[in-house]
Amino acid sequence: MQAPTGCRLLVAPALWHHAAVYSSQEAQSMAESSAWTLQGHTALITGASHGIGLATAREFAGLGADLRLVARDPLALERLKQELEAEFEDLDVVVYSADLSDQDERLAVFDWIADLGSPISLLVNNVGGNQPQATLDYATDDVRAIFELNLFSAFEMSRLAFEYLVTQDDAAIVNVGSVAGLSHVRTGSAYGMSKAALHQLTRNLAVEWAESGIRVNAVAPWYIRTRRSEAALNEPEYYQEVVDRTPLGRVAEPEEVATAIAFLCLPASSYVTGQVLAVDGGFMSLGF
Ligand SMILES: NC(=O)c1ccc[n+]([C@@H]2O[C@H](COP(=O)([O-])OP(=O)(O)OC[C@H]3O[C@@H](n4cnc5c(N)ncnc54)[C@H](OP(=O)(O)O)[C@@H]3O)[C@@H](O)[C@H]2O)c1
């Protein structure tokens, strides 16, 4: 059976006899109206004042989501809020300063969300940090601090978000992991362990919360140019080693992670859950 001239088949051939046929124009407008927009969503993004979190806030704003942005520095957050409000006039952007290493402050974020009165439908667990050391040199408290920020924050924020996400259509969580959770990349074992556990949390929640209509995915970036990676990337020899080890031959900009995070939140990825998407220029695929 052939598709009528000027029309595009949007379904698998086996479903053809059940399906409507859409013109290219209709298909385009359907895509624009549903799969590729975050209009109607409210997203809570952690670590939103710099780097990948900031780029994600901008990307989501462009896709129409209202924003709840959290980080520690209130001035950086306020600056971002003003910028976004000037650029995206119709959006509701609200910011809150909190240290997400601390459970009381995580609880305070959700008191704030409750006071705002509009439920969140998307959560991006992006905060993370590291104090790289050789395994034998770590003080136990340093390891615990890395886990508090990189893993327990996402675990607790996800649990606290559940009561809102479960009430919303197309709810999703994206965790920002790392290739350090997939392979040894000279970050120190504590960071690698915390990110590997975050990836596994992603898979566990994806299965556990599927029946509640919440998709859970992660991104695993390789080198992204942010203030965190700046010092390392400014060392010419190290930078060259990184680039030589990256099939696409460059490091990435935060916006290139933000678009991957956005995809995992969009209805366009409605059948994707439990995945850890490497955003790595091919780094993890290079054997020799
Ligand atoms: N850059 C890379 O190459 C790379 C690679 C792989 C994975 N990642 C992951 O990507 C995520 C973002 O990293 P990035 O490179 O974008 O870092 P970044 O530019 O330093 O931004 C980190 C953000 O998190 C906030 N933050 C840090 N500690 C916090 C805390 N205790 N409580 C609340 N907010 C906190 C920071 O704001 P305040 O300082 O104001 O709190 C900032 O907004 C992290 O999870 C990191 O592990 C990054």
Side-chain angles (χ1 to χ4, degrees):
M1 182 184 272
Q2 290 202 330
T5 315
C7 294
R8 195 147 63 101
L9 182 61
L10 288 181
V11 291
L15 299 177
W16 169 248
H17 60 285
H18 293 304
V21 177
Y22 302 103
S23 71
S24 307
Q25 212 173 13
E26 282 169 331
Q28 191 182 354
S29 104
M30 275 171 58
E32 281 168 3
S33 70
S34 57
W36 299 99
T37 178
L38 292 179
Q39 268 168 22
H41 279 281
T42 300
L44 171 57
I45 303 173
T46 71
S49 60
H50 294 278
I52 293 168
L54 186 153
T56 303
R58 272 192 194 294
E59 187 65 33
F60 279 31
L63 289 165
D66 288 332
L67 298 174
R68 311 290 180 246
L69 307 178
V70 178
R72 287 168 304 183
D73 178 355
L75 294 178
L77 283 171
E78 194 49 45
R79 231 180 359 253
L80 176 61
K81 174 181 158 68
Q82 283 173 17
E83 276 174 34
L84 291 174
E85 282 176 343
E87 198 174 339
F88 305 96
E89 284 173 8
D90 295 334
L91 289 191
D92 179 24
V93 182
V94 198
V95 297
Y96 189 83
S97 166
D99 182 347
L100 295 177
S101 301
D102 183 309
Q103 180 65 3
D104 287 343
E105 299 209 18
R106 294 171 197 143
L107 291 167
V109 169
F110 279 88
D111 288 344
W112 166 70
I113 294 287
D115 289 346
L116 289 172
S118 52
I120 57 165
S121 51
L122 303 171
L123 170 65
V124 179
N125 288 310
N126 166 68
V127 284
N130 193 15
Q131 307 166 41
Q133 297 184 52
T135 296
L136 293 177
D137 294 340
Y138 278 113
T140 304
D141 281 351
D142 294 341
V143 178
R144 289 186 194 283
I146 291 171
F147 269 71
E148 276 299 341
L149 185 60
N150 294 357
L151 179 64
F152 299 142
S153 66
F155 181 78
E156 298 294 356
M157 296 294 282
S158 300
R159 295 195 318 162
L160 289 162
F162 180 85
E163 67 171 292
Y164 298 104
L165 300 178
V166 73
T167 65
Q168 301 298 300
D169 290 338
D170 300 325
I173 297 175
V174 176
N175 296 319
V176 179
S178 171
V179 293
L182 302 170
S183 188
H184 179 285
V185 290
R186 307 184 205 173
T187 55
S189 55
Y191 183 80
M193 286 190 293
S194 70
K195 292 295 189 178
L198 182 62
H199 298 166
Q200 188 55 35
L201 172 66
T202 302
R203 291 184 276 261
N204 278 90
L205 290 187
V207 175
E208 211 178 313
W209 291 356
E211 66 180 16
S212 304
I214 303 168
R215 294 184 302 109
V216 187
N217 290 289
V219 291
W222 170 226
Y223 262 107
I224 313 300
R225 200 180 290 284
T226 67
R227 65 177 188 177
R228 260 189 89 231
S229 57
E230 200 177 8
L233 295 177
N234 281 344
E235 286 177 31
E237 276 178 29
Y238 185 78
Y239 175 78
Q240 198 53 49
E241 267 192 273
V242 168
V243 165
D244 289 347
R245 188 66 183 77
T246 307
L248 285 184
R250 62 180 177 87
V251 300
E253 301 303 322
E255 290 73 16
E256 297 179 275
V257 184
T259 47
I261 295 171
F263 170 68
L264 293 170
C265 286
L266 280 161
S269 65
S270 56
Y271 203 51
V272 179
T273 197
Q275 297 303 304
V276 178
L277 175 63
V279 182
D280 69 347
F283 171 79
M284 287 302 301
S285 303
L286 176 63
F288 178 65

